[in-house]
Amino acid sequence: MSILIDKNTKLLVQGITGREGAFHTEQMLAFGTNLVGGIRPGKGGAEVLGVPVFNTVAEATRETGANAWVSFVPGPASGDAIMEAAAAGIPLLVAITERTPVHDETLVYRYVSEHGARLIGPNCPGLVSSGKSKVGIMPNNLFKEGHVGIVSRSGTLTYEMVNELTRRGIGQSTTVGIGGDPVIGTTFTDVLKLFDADPDTRLVVLIGEIGGTDEELAAEYISSRSGKPVVAFISGRTAPPGKRMGHAGAIITGGQGGPEHKVQAFEQAGVPVMNTIPEVGEKVAEIVGVPAGA
Amino acid sequence: MKLQEYVAKDLLRQAGVPVPAGEVAETPEQAEDIARRLGPVAIKAQVLVGGRGKAGGIKLANTSEEARSAAGQILGMDIKGLTVEKVLVEQQVKIAREYYAGITLDRANHRFLLMLSSMGGVDIEEVAAEHPDAIIRAEIDPAYGLRSFQIRDAMFAAGFDRSASSGLEKIIAGLYRVLDDKDAMLAEINPLSVTDAGEAIAADAKVDIDDSALYRHPELAAYEAESMTDPIELYASQHGVPYVKLDGNIGVIANGAGLAMMTMDVIKRVGGQPANFLDVSGGARAEVVRTAIEIVLMDPKVEGIVMNIFGGITRGDEVARGLLEAAGTMDIKVPIAIRIAGTREEEGRKLLEGTQFTPEPTLVDAARTILRKIGEPAAAGGQR
């Protein structure tokens, strides 16, 4: 098993005709994702890489029975696109888009929740269930099927983590990039709950960073349940307060979001916080054991 | 993008919020002129750091001559590393009471939050730490906005002066309008004052605009330069490169924000001091790599660079080629240690072997190599 996506995932791509959209459509098809359609208003009836293009999400959903959607549309149009997909009744929405205005994100979050959909992102690399399905922009060749779940606020650092585990012969169930924006649809805690309920995930690697309180809330959740072991990593320990470190959400403000507090919260919850990605790999190997022959 | 006080107050004024009469001066003579028209004034340094009052950046002047001399002292002053280039010359107001009003993003709740406190004029973080009960909060539903009744509820709960309540309510509504209309991440009036005459007025203001929404506000583009507190950060921003200047001497270039932060952290862990954050996500093209190196080297303190690249969809060999091509067009005088991993890592390494960019096996090795090359002792720990 896995969480959120698997072989039954039928994916639509918003902005399929754009440069990014077309490139990653090709990559997702190569991964084996069941990509059933794309949307580009005004280009309905066309095809991209053999995938049918529709004018609206509602039409695409009706015609294909899609149950997941990923968006590459730019920030200014991103909020509206997510609302269109939620209105069409798609349960899983993934927004890769960077630079979505925060005021739009607050409204979108409310709208998506009201429509009972789950939003991942914005400003995320998407997710991969190893050997089953990929939604988003993570590199195809890093993954190996297995039992470690990964949840992360960062893109490249997630790839590093997957690479590190795969190199050690340790596979992953699902890898989820939740996004680097200050307002995101799915939190660490949301994903931890899903992993806790997934019989195929034995351990979770959590990659946090400075900014906000999502790591602290995750630590609180971890303390409150007797679930699977979690190993954490926090980046930005040397980041100064008041400065945005690339991600819109990676900023220490108003005395909140500093690294010490996050590390402390995890340690109190019994979660080891490692200093480098190879150390995380080593800790994971110690807990789950390395498969024979690896 | 943080706005200077005078810009924030202009936005509030346009939203119907009373602010003290005032104008900006860039010379003592201008300050004198303004004071002649306004009477007794306060001269306030326009710098984007806290604590400017304690640093001597705010002075009262009762005559135009005093205004000239006070402005002369403040203009050019260094406040926490920033040079004062502008002062706000503002009519003095007689304050009876000081409150706090701020609207900020409550990330965990996915909503903006109004915060009021009768303990104004001091840092709200201090109030939150020492008197958490003194802050009254009201959640703002993005679909309905901040409603008047919510403002009144919060005001009375916070113990705001009843006799000035209609003026205060109007100011808080105006504050929300600025936040909403201008896509602010933070809009704050501190102190929110009631004068001896019983009138409510915004005595100081802070507004921080969401960078992702600036395209909707071309009227604010003119303030970008003065919102940047560092010339290298301004240059990087104009070139679309996420860069933050730090205090150390080891430059950082990595592809990805998380990776760049981790690189900083590892440099520190092995005993070095990172000079910057830089995310070179724009792919592997030589042009992008060149711009990144150029930006890092604008900081004269930089003695060496750690470059940390993870080949994802951008392949390791493409990155290596981009780096060699960029370096071929530049005169790089500091050592660069590179760590490259991920897709086509071997091919990338082979291309770099024997060049000035001979790759290091791990990030920790790269950080240690740079420390050695610049002659600083590495700390124990961080073996990998």
Side-chain angles (χ1 to χ4, degrees):
Chain A
M1 269 188 51
S2 53
I3 65 166
L4 297 163
I5 56 170
D6 56 27
K7 285 277 179 206
N8 298 316
T9 298
K10 293 166 86 178
L11 182 70
L12 295 176
V13 176
Q14 184 89 37
I16 192 166
T17 58
R19 195 169 55 96
E20 292 284 298
F23 175 77
H24 289 291
T25 292
E26 192 177 1
Q27 295 286 314
M28 286 187 277
L29 287 168
F31 188 94
T33 302
N34 185 13
L35 206 159
V36 296
I39 301 106
R40 175 63 211 264
K43 297 254 174 85
E47 271 194 5
V48 171
L49 302 158
V51 175
V53 178
F54 301 90
N55 285 317
T56 67
V57 185
E59 185 195 355
T61 310
R62 215 164 39 236
E63 296 297 321
T64 64
N67 54 16
W69 173 94
V70 63
S71 168
F72 293 93
V73 304
S78 165
D80 189 65
I82 298 168
M83 287 161 97
E84 179 183 351
I90 300 181
L92 180 68
L93 316 175
V94 180
I96 306 301
T97 311
E98 274 183 71
R99 298 184 76 81
T100 303
V102 170
H103 284 256
D104 295 3
E105 289 179 344
T106 60
L107 193 62
V108 162
Y109 182 85
R110 187 188 197 283
Y111 190 86
V112 166
S113 313
E114 268 180 5
H115 284 74
R118 171 182 296 288
L119 170 66
I120 298 192
N123 192 9
C124 78
L127 57 161
V128 168
S129 286
S130 301
K132 301 186 178 99
S133 182
K134 169 177 114 163
V135 174
I137 62 172
M138 294 197 200
N140 281 0
N141 53 351
L142 303 175
F143 297 86
K144 174 182 167 66
E145 286 181 68
H147 307 287
V148 173
I150 300 176
V151 58
S152 170
R153 274 170 70 188
S154 163
T156 325
L157 220 42
T158 312
Y159 316 156
E160 279 271 3
M161 192 66 246
V162 174
N163 193 49
E164 172 68 25
L165 292 178
T166 297
R167 200 175 60 77
R168 287 173 180 272
I170 301 169
Q172 310 86 34
S173 52
T174 302
T175 300
V176 187
I178 59 174
D181 275 0
V183 175
I184 48 174
T186 296
T187 64
F188 280 132
T189 306
D190 295 332
V191 178
L192 284 169
K193 286 178 181 167
L194 295 172
F195 278 134
D196 275 348
D198 174 32
D200 218 27
T201 300
R202 293 187 200 146
L203 174 149
V204 181
V205 171
L206 183 154
I207 299 171
E209 64 189 25
I210 56 157
T213 55
D214 205 20
E215 289 79 5
E216 285 88 334
L217 294 169
E220 217 170 279
Y221 164 72
I222 293 166
S223 307
S224 73
R225 75 7 163 190
S226 56
K228 296 163 185 176
V230 178
V231 179
F233 177 85
I234 307 280
S235 64
R237 296 215 202 176
T238 48
K243 293 281 191 179
R244 209 156 255 124
M245 308 304 283
H247 291 154
I251 181 167
I252 304 168
T253 45
Q256 247 184 14
E260 304 81 13
H261 198 236
K262 294 178 187 297
V263 172
Q264 203 186 356
F266 279 128
E267 285 175 348
Q268 278 169 5
V271 172
V273 183
M274 311 315 288
N275 290 315
T276 64
I277 295 290
E279 282 177 32
V280 177
E282 194 162 303
K283 191 75 184 172
V284 171
E286 190 186 308
I287 300 173
V288 298
V290 178
Chain B
M1 179 175 99
K2 287 180 185 160
L3 301 178
Q4 299 280 6
E5 177 192 6
Y6 79 95
V7 184
K9 280 180 168 168
D10 275 347
L11 296 181
L12 284 170
R13 193 184 286 122
Q14 287 161 26
V17 173
V19 298
E23 288 171 44
V24 172
E26 293 180 34
T27 65
E29 292 71 29
Q30 287 172 358
E32 183 180 11
D33 267 0
I34 298 164
R36 198 169 288 133
R37 276 179 273 125
L38 296 181
V41 290
I43 314 277
K44 304 171 86 178
Q46 298 298 288
V47 281
L48 292 167
V49 289
R52 63 183 169 164
K54 278 181 198 147
I58 299 177
K59 291 184 193 299
L60 295 179
N62 291 318
T63 66
S64 55
E65 290 73 30
E66 279 177 36
R68 180 193 175 105
S69 114
Q73 287 168 39
I74 296 174
L75 285 164
M77 181 187 264
D78 184 279
I79 299 181
K80 297 185 184 171
L82 300 179
T83 306
V84 180
E85 285 168 5
K86 288 178 181 164
V87 288
L88 176 59
V89 181
E90 213 173 57
Q91 205 161 50
Q92 289 181 25
V93 280
K94 297 270 178 270
I95 305 295
R97 274 173 296 282
E98 293 190 327
Y99 302 133
Y100 170 91
I103 307 173
T104 183
L105 182 66
D106 178 2
R107 291 169 57 155
N109 217 2
H110 309 90
R111 289 180 175 198
F112 282 90
L113 186 71
L114 170 70
M115 292 191 289
L116 298 182
S117 175
S118 59
M119 300 177 79
V122 288
D123 193 346
I124 192 65
E125 286 156 38
E126 280 172 37
V127 179
E130 285 159 34
H131 308 277
D133 294 345
I135 301 175
I136 303 300
R137 295 173 170 84
E139 221 178 70
I140 302 170
D141 186 322
Y144 300 105
L146 178 63
R147 312 307 306 179
S148 297
F149 78 88
Q150 291 182 287
I151 300 176
R152 289 192 300 273
D153 278 356
M155 267 176 22
F156 292 123
F160 281 16
D161 186 348
R162 280 157 204 254
S163 64
S165 64
S166 75
L168 289 165
E169 181 186 328
K170 201 176 137 200
I171 288 181
I172 296 162
L175 182 67
Y176 176 68
R177 210 169 306 129
V178 168
L179 178 104
D180 196 43
D181 289 353
K182 301 296 179 187
D183 277 293
M185 297 289 287
L186 168 81
E188 186 180 82
I189 298 173
N190 188 23
L192 165 56
S193 303
V194 178
T195 65
D196 281 352
E199 279 160 17
I201 191 165
D204 195 1
K206 263 188 207 160
V207 173
D208 187 354
I209 308 290
D210 176 10
D211 295 331
S212 300
L214 281 174
Y215 72 93
R216 293 204 276 236
H217 306 286
E219 75 282 6
L220 297 175
Y223 303 111
E224 196 202 344
E226 69 177 29
S227 79
M228 290 286 179
T229 51
D230 181 272
I232 310 177
E233 288 181 6
L234 176 62
Y235 180 85
S237 159
Q238 287 164 344
H239 287 77
V241 178
Y243 168 92
V244 176
K245 174 122 163 27
L246 305 170
D247 292 332
N249 56 353
I250 300 177
V252 170
I253 296 174
N255 63 333
L259 204 63
M261 282 191 269
M262 178 175 77
T263 307
M264 285 157 42
D265 297 350
V266 165
I267 289 171
K268 176 88 177 207
R269 181 156 290 278
V270 302
Q273 295 294 337
N276 66 276
F277 164 97
L278 190 149
D279 173 6
V280 63
S281 287
R285 285 178 301 117
E287 188 57 38
V288 177
V289 179
R290 182 163 51 227
T291 305
I293 296 175
E294 188 197 331
I295 289 169
V296 169
L297 291 178
M298 283 172 78
D299 178 355
K301 278 166 78 181
V302 170
E303 295 176 60
I305 298 176
V306 174
M307 196 182 260
N308 187 10
I309 301 294
F310 188 86
I313 283 164
T314 305
R315 300 175 347 224
D317 53 339
E318 291 169 343
V319 176
R321 273 191 207 96
L323 177 61
L324 291 173
E325 202 187 318
T329 65
M330 301 177 84
D331 179 21
I332 304 170
K333 292 200 166 67
V334 304
I336 298 184
I338 178 166
R339 176 264 178 176
I340 186 165
T343 311
R344 298 189 60 131
E345 153 184 345
E346 281 314 311
E347 290 85 343
R349 276 169 192 268
K350 276 198 193 107
L351 284 168
L352 295 172
E353 283 303 340
T355 73
Q356 64 183 122
F357 307 113
T358 300
E360 301 284 340
T362 70
L363 175 57
V364 170
D365 292 321
R368 284 180 184 281
T369 295
I370 280 298
L371 275 179
R372 198 181 60 242
K373 286 190 176 166
I374 66 176
E376 284 182 17
Q383 278 76 23
R384 290 166 298 270

